[in-house]
Amino acid sequence: MHIIVHIGPPKTGTSSIQAALRINRDYLASQDIYVYQAQKMTSKALALAFMGETRNSMPDIRQHFPAAADAVAWSEACWEEFEAEVSARKPAVSVISSEMFGNLRDPSAFVARLGRTFERITVVGYVRDPVELYVSQLAQHIRSGARFRDLKSPLEYKYPKIWRIDNYIELLGLANIRVRNFSRSNLRGGDVVVDFFQTVAYLAKRKIALPTMPERVNESLPAAATVWLMTL
């Protein structure tokens, strides 16, 4: 079995891709492509087991779990559910998506866990113009509860090299990595959702119709609203 792992990073249309996977889940299943869907927070469900205590103690996680260990325990239960569903369905291709996968300092345990179920693992991610990405990530960090002291200035900011992608290359080999340019002029159909679904179609060797498009999600807040949010 083959799994396609979308690793983001944040602010490259990940929320739209995840929404499209959710609303097109039944159609994809008819093409023998399984999309995992947790009962809540699907984009975090399989990632929290590998994120570490610091990330699992951030405000956006603490509002759901009183302690980091609770987040890990819930994620482990999601893994067991995911693996059981794949074992029962035996789909030709599975798809999971989380920008958190791209932020793993060491994805070896994550890749090893996938290797227990899947014979082939392909990683898909997008790269974005560094200036646009910095501004967008700054706002996203504030929305996630970061304090002013946690935010990097433009002089401190370092483009994440598509997030430690070298680690995935080392673990899986370059042939199993797909990196796309998050630019409207480069994206198929000028849209990241269309581009991702066509990438899945190519990797899965399937003809996939244009997806039902989701409503716009996780749009950036105006600057004034972002500053106000940071004061809370």
Side-chain angles (χ1 to χ4, degrees):
M1 292 186 290
H2 179 197
I3 186 165
I4 298 170
V5 184
H6 172 231
I7 64 173
K11 311 312 295 180
T12 57
T14 51
S15 296
S16 294
I17 288 173
Q18 290 155 7
L21 287 172
R22 182 176 65 253
I23 63 179
N24 290 278
R25 189 171 184 241
D26 290 343
Y27 167 71
L28 290 171
S30 72
Q31 305 300 310
D32 203 19
I33 299 173
Y34 167 68
V35 177
Y36 175 66
Q37 185 70 37
Q39 293 183 355
K40 62 179 181 180
M41 299 193 304
T42 297
S43 66
K44 297 179 174 64
L46 301 179
L48 294 182
F50 304 99
M51 290 304 299
E53 184 174 354
T54 299
R55 180 63 186 88
N56 288 345
S57 297
M58 289 292 287
D60 60 326
I61 303 300
R62 285 210 317 268
Q63 65 180 316
H64 299 283
F65 305 101
D70 297 316
V72 172
W74 173 74
S75 182
E76 176 60 31
C78 291
W79 270 100
E80 293 175 1
E81 176 187 56
F82 168 59
E83 291 164 338
E85 288 186 357
V86 170
S87 178
R89 300 175 184 226
K90 293 181 171 54
V93 178
S94 298
V95 180
I96 57 176
S97 171
S98 175
E99 50 271 49
M100 287 184 169
F101 295 149
N103 286 327
L104 295 176
R105 291 186 179 277
D106 180 3
S108 56
F110 168 59
V111 170
R113 183 69 181 258
L114 291 173
R116 288 161 50 176
T117 302
F118 300 97
E119 293 86 19
R120 181 184 174 194
I121 303 168
T122 302
V123 167
V124 177
Y126 289 80
V127 291
R128 186 174 180 179
D129 175 84
V131 175
E132 291 182 3
L133 184 61
Y134 167 71
V135 174
S136 189
Q137 284 189 334
L138 197 68
Q140 187 67 40
H141 289 326
I142 293 170
R143 291 170 67 174
S144 296
R147 307 296 187 186
F148 184 77
R149 63 177 179 271
D150 301 323
L151 304 177
K152 294 184 181 298
S153 74
L155 295 177
E156 298 171 313
Y157 178 74
K158 293 181 180 178
Y159 190 75
K161 287 188 177 175
I162 70 173
W163 354 269
R164 311 180 176 96
I165 193 69
D166 289 346
N167 292 331
Y168 281 102
I169 294 174
E170 182 177 345
L171 291 166
L172 298 171
L174 190 58
N176 293 308
I177 310 295
R178 294 289 184 277
V179 177
R180 302 286 299 157
N181 182 0
F182 186 76
S183 170
R184 189 175 297 276
S185 62
N186 178 74
L187 298 172
R188 301 181 185 98
D191 184 273
V192 69
V193 170
V194 174
D195 188 271
F196 179 75
F197 271 64
Q198 291 195 16
T199 299
V200 169
Y202 172 79
L203 293 171
K205 296 180 172 56
R206 300 282 195 280
K207 289 185 177 180
I208 298 178
L210 287 177
T212 300
M213 300 299 285
E215 296 181 5
R216 296 175 69 90
V217 292
N218 198 27
E219 294 186 79
S220 297
L221 295 174
T226 301
V227 172
W228 174 82
L229 185 62
M230 190 168 59
T231 68
L232 294 180

